[in-house]
Amino acid sequence: MTTDTDSESGEPALTIDELAARAGTTVRTVRFYGTKGLLPPPVIGPRRVGHYGREHLARLALIEELQQQGMTLAAIERYLRRLPPGLSDHDLAIHRAAVASWAPDTEETVTAGELRRRAGRPLDAPDVERLVAMDVVRPDGDAYRIDPGLFRLAVQLLDVPLSEKAILAARTVLTEHARAAAHELSQLFRAEVAERAEEDVRSLSAHMQPLVVQALLTAFQRSLSAEVHQWLAAPEEGGEPGSDPAVSARR
C-alpha cells in the first residue's frame, strides 16, 4: 500500500495521481493549486518525478474545508498566506478543525461512491461498519447520512488502534466538557453585552467564535501534551520515572 512518506527516508512518497486520489480531487486541481501557491512544490525524485506527502494532503483538506465555508479562491489565498511558515500536517489539521467548527451542524445524504470519494482513501466493508459503529455514518437505504465535519475526523480514526467503545467514550467526554465551556463563556459574554442591541450581540458572536475555538484548541493541545508528558514520566510499578521495569528488577 502506498504511504504518505517513504518508510526509510521519511521523504514524501505520493505521486500527483496518488495525492489527488487520496484527497478526493483531480490532478488538474492539484496542479492549479500549485501554480497559485496554495500548495508547496513537490519533492523532485528520480526521473524528475514529483512526490508529495502529509503536508500536501493536509493543505488540500484545509482548502476543501474553506471552500465548504463559502470562501472564494482569493479569500483562501489570503487565509493561507497569513498562516505561519513551516506548519506541519498536524498543525494544518488543527486549523481545519477550527474552520470546520464555524459551520452549523448539518447532515448530508451521500451515495456509497460519494462516501468513499469524501474519505479520500479506500474504504472496505469493515471500515464502513466501524464508521457506523462510531455513529458518524448512518445507513439510509442504499445511501448514507453523514455529518461532513465528523466524517473527516472519523476517517482519520480508522488508523488509530482504539476500540469503537473507547472512541465513543472519548466523544462523550469531549462533548460534555465543550458544552460546559460554551455555557460558561456565553454567561461571561452575556454579562458584557447585556445592554447592547441584538445586532451588536450577533456581530460580537461572529467575531469571537473563531477566536474562541482557536483558543480552546490551543489550550487543549497544550493540556493534552502536558498530560502525555506526565504519563510518560510517571514511575512504573516498582520502578523510577521512565525506567525499564525489567532493568529495575535486575538491579
Side-chain angles (χ1 to χ4, degrees):
M1 182 178 67
T2 302
T3 55
D4 301 6
T5 56
D6 182 85
S7 59
E8 294 182 0
S9 67
E11 292 298 320
L14 292 175
T15 66
I16 191 169
D17 298 272
E18 292 166 339
L19 174 69
R22 288 281 294 273
T25 186
T26 65
V27 169
R28 182 179 180 183
T29 298
V30 173
R31 286 179 172 147
F32 174 71
Y33 288 158
T35 61
K36 299 291 288 184
L38 303 181
L39 286 177
V43 173
I44 305 301
R47 298 188 297 276
R48 302 295 297 170
V49 175
H51 290 94
Y52 301 80
R54 292 188 179 92
E55 181 192 350
H56 297 92
L57 275 172
R59 280 188 173 267
L60 285 172
L62 176 56
I63 292 169
E64 180 188 7
E65 194 65 60
L66 293 168
Q67 289 176 325
Q68 291 287 334
Q69 303 304 318
M71 292 181 67
T72 64
L73 185 61
I76 292 174
E77 288 184 64
R78 290 194 297 271
Y79 181 95
L80 294 179
R81 279 200 302 267
R82 289 197 294 267
L83 293 179
L87 290 181
S88 68
D89 59 297
H90 177 74
D91 296 325
L92 291 167
I94 294 295
H95 276 273
R96 191 187 74 179
V99 172
S101 67
W102 305 344
D105 294 336
T106 57
E107 273 198 346
E108 296 181 27
T109 300
V110 298
T111 64
E114 178 66 8
L115 185 78
R116 287 167 171 78
R117 189 196 71 79
R118 292 199 183 194
R121 51 167 284 174
L123 288 180
D124 56 22
D127 288 334
V128 176
E129 289 175 4
R130 192 172 186 205
L131 292 170
V132 171
M134 290 183 201
D135 196 31
V136 295
V137 171
R138 290 192 289 279
D140 185 9
D142 294 331
Y144 297 92
R145 292 193 64 77
I146 64 170
D147 179 312
L150 286 178
F151 177 71
R152 283 184 284 271
L153 174 61
V155 168
Q156 295 180 58
L157 287 173
L158 290 175
D159 296 324
V160 178
L162 287 175
S163 67
E164 287 84 1
K165 182 178 179 181
I167 291 172
L168 289 172
R171 179 177 172 180
T172 299
V173 169
L174 290 171
T175 300
E176 290 178 352
H177 284 279
R179 286 174 178 167
H183 176 72
E184 293 293 331
L185 288 170
S186 67
Q187 294 298 314
L188 183 128
F189 293 150
R190 188 176 300 176
E192 291 292 317
V193 298
E195 303 301 325
R196 299 189 183 184
E198 181 178 350
E199 292 77 10
D200 294 333
V201 175
R202 292 185 182 277
S203 177
L204 176 63
S205 176
H207 283 85
M208 287 301 298
Q209 185 172 349
L211 298 177
V212 169
V213 168
Q214 191 64 57
L216 286 172
L217 285 169
T218 301
F220 178 74
Q221 269 189 296
R222 292 175 178 173
S223 298
L224 184 59
S225 179
E227 286 290 327
V228 170
H229 283 302
Q230 184 177 353
W231 176 26
L232 294 176
E236 301 281 354
E237 291 185 12
E240 299 176 354
S243 64
D244 186 333
V247 174
S248 299
R250 292 196 297 267
R251 289 175 180 170

